[in-house]
Amino acid sequence: MSGVSLKPRAPLEARVDLSGITPAVICPLTLRELEHLPVPHGGRSVPLAELFFIEGAPEGVLLIEIGDARLDGVGAGMSEGELIVDGRVGAWAGRGMAGGVLRIAGDAGDFLGAEMSGGRIELAGHAGARAGAAGSGSRRGLSGGVLKIGGTAGPRAAERQRGGLIVIAGDAGDGLATDMIAGTVSVGGAIGPLAGRGMKRGTILAQARPELPAGFVDTGVHELVALRLLARRVPELKDMLGGWTHARRIVGDTLMGGQGEVLMPG
Amino acid sequence: MIINGVEIRDNFAEAFPMVGTRLIVTADTPEWALTAGRTTTGFATSVIGCGCEAGIERMLAPEETPDGRPGVSLLIFAMDFGSLKKVVPLRLGQCVLTCPTTACYAGVEGGKRVPLAKTIRYFADGHQISKKIGDKRFWRLPVMEGEFVCDEDTGSVEGVGGGNFLILARSRAAALHAAEAAVAAMGKVEGVILPFPGGVVRSGSKVGSKYKGLFASTNDAYCPTLRGAVPSALPPEVASVLEIVIDGFSFEAVSEATKVGVAAVCAVGAEGGVVAVDAGNYGGNLGPFHFKLREIMKDSTGGEP
């Protein structure tokens, strides 16, 4: 089978964990093998065919028709191919993703793209808490790839992020980029309080000055060539940075010895 | 073969393999980009004495550069990859990092990696900022004037060094005029540089010397003032000879530059005082690349067998 389409047979009665159900894993399987693939559903494990109608799809594509807020771990562990969800998803979508493309037409739950290291997630709707963050007890959040959120992001997005790019078109919740290690997060809307607390390195691109913790130091407005470079080299930042030549640079969190920065139009 | 009264001698230029890279240097104004380019490629005429050969490939319009500012593309060649890895960061650190408003970017994607900010970044003493998005990493170094932005590294290519041709003229003025015309025309060819001052060499050399320890010495066969005293390659009417040396990213690029350059010399023609076009070689023992003048020029208009 070249591509797979999954269509829920009925509204889900319990949470379903689709971690590991990636294009690379299931596209090479036969229809019979797919039907019997065990999937955690609530407290038990059920065959995939009990939850979904399984049909063919274009080469390398896994299509989930009619998403559901109870579908957890969609695209988790993905390394190649394309996974499209025509609706919303639950928690942990794209967790630990290393490659490929995950497109979600609706909203996503908590921990979207948590600890991802490569590939690309495009979310059309809103994300829950801790998008691109580290998992509970983990030290490193998103470290590579691109996480693009069309709507708003909940609290603690980019927490402990250590690389890659997170683009939030709408607002970001409280504690954006808390303990950020490196990487870039761009926010098109408003930013909630206490952004960047404990930030070591990395960059927050903001449209307006957010409320920052005490450890941030305003270094003034500067002409930064890097802004022009990012605007031309990174398509995702073109709209945000188009026309920026100067930026106000606020450095922190100096109370933690950090050298991260918040950049906003000067 | 005679083109516009200029004899194309039945000879070939002999070139050797070199390893090269391209840097894109931008600045706030074309003048400062050119200043950075000239400084970076200064004292880089011949590997024999300078360790590398470098030159400005061309000026770049703002829309052609990674940061949308005016720039120059520079080519730097060395005899082996180890030498290239050594000379590029040195020139970058001394001549680009120090030059007002500049930034430096990779000009070659493939090949072995030549470090740029990978080594220079330590100048920022811990304040350097890395930004990696996708596969490309660049660095921002705080400097007194603002920030120096630089790609982490650049690629390299196996190129060709030492392509050349000689302009044999009735006078020094005629030789210089023809050489200037050739340099102007060859500047439009992509992937080549003319590393000598203004693109022109007056001191063409032969391999070896009567003095111990010298690799090269004056090309006495083409020195007009020695005609008669040594076996000369010059007709009696030739009073001055200038050489154009070409380094390029490929055999084809050097060949194209030779063609364009010789055509420009021939356009000056016999009426402009040019007698012949010749080429420097060492019997075919120096390098594997041979640029045969008549073969290269056979498609040019106005050529007669």
Side-chain angles (χ1 to χ4, degrees):
Chain A
M1 188 172 288
S2 59
V4 178
S5 163
L6 303 176
K7 189 173 178 182
R9 288 178 181 273
L12 299 170
E13 291 171 3
R15 300 199 81 84
V16 174
D17 184 2
L18 287 185
S19 299
I21 308 282
T22 64
V25 169
I26 77 166
C27 286
L29 300 179
T30 64
L31 193 60
R32 180 165 288 273
E33 287 168 327
L34 279 174
E35 283 172 354
H36 290 90
L37 201 67
V39 177
H41 177 229
R44 62 200 182 98
S45 178
V46 299
L48 192 64
E50 192 177 313
L51 301 172
F52 299 96
F53 293 111
I54 304 169
E55 292 169 8
E59 177 85 35
V61 173
L62 170 56
L63 176 66
I64 300 177
E65 295 180 54
I66 315 171
D68 194 302
R70 294 187 172 201
L71 278 179
D72 292 336
V74 173
M78 239 178 107
S79 59
E80 59 184 285
E82 190 172 356
L83 202 165
I84 302 168
V85 185
D86 192 10
R88 61 173 306 159
V89 294
W92 300 108
R95 174 192 191 177
M97 189 170 155
V101 180
L102 169 59
R103 294 183 215 279
I104 302 165
D107 297 340
D110 297 347
F111 292 103
L112 170 72
E115 297 174 36
M116 81 183 263
S117 61
R120 183 180 180 85
I121 297 177
E122 290 180 7
L123 176 76
H126 306 300
R130 291 185 155 88
S136 304
S138 177
R139 294 171 61 192
R140 292 172 167 186
L142 182 139
S143 62
V146 176
L147 168 56
K148 208 173 164 188
I149 297 169
T152 60
R156 300 264 177 163
E159 186 180 31
R160 275 171 263 169
Q161 183 185 347
R162 75 172 293 264
L165 174 64
I166 301 177
V167 178
I168 302 166
D171 300 343
D174 302 3
L176 172 78
T178 298
D179 293 331
M180 187 183 209
I181 303 161
T184 305
V185 57
S186 140
V187 182
I191 295 177
L194 294 177
R197 186 166 59 182
M199 196 172 169
K200 288 165 190 68
R201 279 181 177 269
T203 305
I204 299 174
L205 297 167
Q207 290 289 7
R209 184 179 184 134
E211 185 190 320
L212 293 165
F216 277 78
V217 179
D218 191 341
T219 70
V221 175
H222 308 283
E223 187 178 357
L224 299 176
V225 174
L227 295 171
R228 298 163 179 258
L229 183 65
L230 283 171
R232 290 173 79 96
R233 206 175 257 182
V234 185
E236 293 82 6
L237 294 177
K238 192 180 168 193
D239 291 343
M240 177 83 173
L241 297 179
W244 281 34
T245 54
H246 291 71
R248 179 169 292 282
R249 183 167 186 263
I250 304 179
V251 173
D253 185 343
T254 58
L255 292 178
M256 307 290 283
Q259 296 184 61
E261 62 181 0
V262 182
L263 300 178
M264 65 207 75
Chain B
M1 177 188 272
I2 292 168
I3 304 174
N4 198 21
V6 176
E7 183 196 357
I8 306 297
R9 288 188 159 183
D10 189 11
N11 209 346
F12 64 91
E14 189 175 357
F16 43 86
M18 291 186 102
V19 184
T21 190
R22 180 189 279 123
L23 304 182
I24 307 293
V25 176
T26 64
D28 278 0
T29 63
E31 291 76 23
W32 277 111
L34 194 58
T35 299
R38 283 184 177 145
T39 317
T40 308
T41 58
F43 185 58
T45 56
S46 162
V47 280
I48 294 173
C50 312
C52 70
E53 298 181 7
I56 296 172
E57 185 186 21
R58 67 184 180 98
M59 298 293 292
L60 299 171
E63 52 274 17
E64 295 178 280
T65 65
D67 60 21
R69 299 188 301 163
V72 289
S73 64
L74 314 176
L75 304 188
I76 302 178
F77 292 89
M79 291 307 283
D80 54 64
F81 186 70
S83 309
L84 191 69
K85 271 176 79 174
K86 211 180 286 177
V87 298
V88 170
L90 275 177
R91 284 174 182 271
L92 180 70
Q94 295 298 309
C95 308
V96 187
L97 171 68
T98 55
C99 183
T101 77
T102 58
C104 185
Y105 307 105
V108 184
E109 290 301 324
K112 288 186 183 172
R113 309 312 294 173
V114 180
L116 299 177
K118 200 173 179 180
T119 48
I120 300 300
R121 70 176 196 260
Y122 296 113
F123 176 76
D125 204 23
H127 299 289
Q128 62 270 29
I129 300 167
S130 153
K131 200 53 70 191
K132 183 180 182 188
I133 294 174
D135 296 334
K136 283 185 90 79
R137 184 192 292 279
F138 71 91
W139 289 85
R140 294 160 53 197
L141 278 63
V143 288
M144 294 194 301
E145 161 260 318
E147 263 189 355
F148 175 57
V149 173
C150 187
D151 269 332
E152 167 141 300
D153 56 21
T154 181
S156 62
V157 296
E158 306 260 331
V160 176
N164 69 78
F165 61 86
L166 302 165
I167 302 163
L168 282 51
R170 290 178 190 278
S171 67
R172 194 158 81 196
L176 198 58
H177 175 59
E180 286 166 356
V183 169
M186 294 163 82
K188 296 186 179 75
V189 179
E190 201 166 315
V192 299
I193 52 160
L194 314 176
F196 284 90
V200 188
V201 199
R202 59 124 79 135
S203 57
S205 58
K206 66 177 185 291
V207 174
S209 163
K210 69 183 264 191
Y211 299 105
K212 202 177 166 187
L214 269 186
F215 297 112
S217 58
T218 189
N219 197 348
D220 46 20
Y222 287 89
C223 291
T225 51
L226 296 178
R227 188 191 287 115
V230 295
S232 180
L234 299 178
E237 67 271 32
V238 171
S240 185
V241 178
L242 285 173
E243 182 176 0
I244 309 269
V245 171
I246 311 151
D247 294 339
F249 267 13
S250 66
F251 181 89
E252 290 73 25
V254 174
S255 188
E256 175 65 17
T258 304
K259 185 175 178 176
V260 168
V262 173
V265 169
C266 292
V268 173
E271 279 186 22
V274 181
V275 175
V277 173
D278 206 335
N281 66 66
Y282 309 93
N285 298 319
L286 180 71
F289 304 111
H290 296 169
F291 298 93
K292 295 173 182 162
L293 292 179
R294 288 190 176 178
E295 220 166 83
I296 288 171
M297 298 309 296
K298 75 180 171 203
D299 298 330
S300 292
T301 52
E304 301 159 25

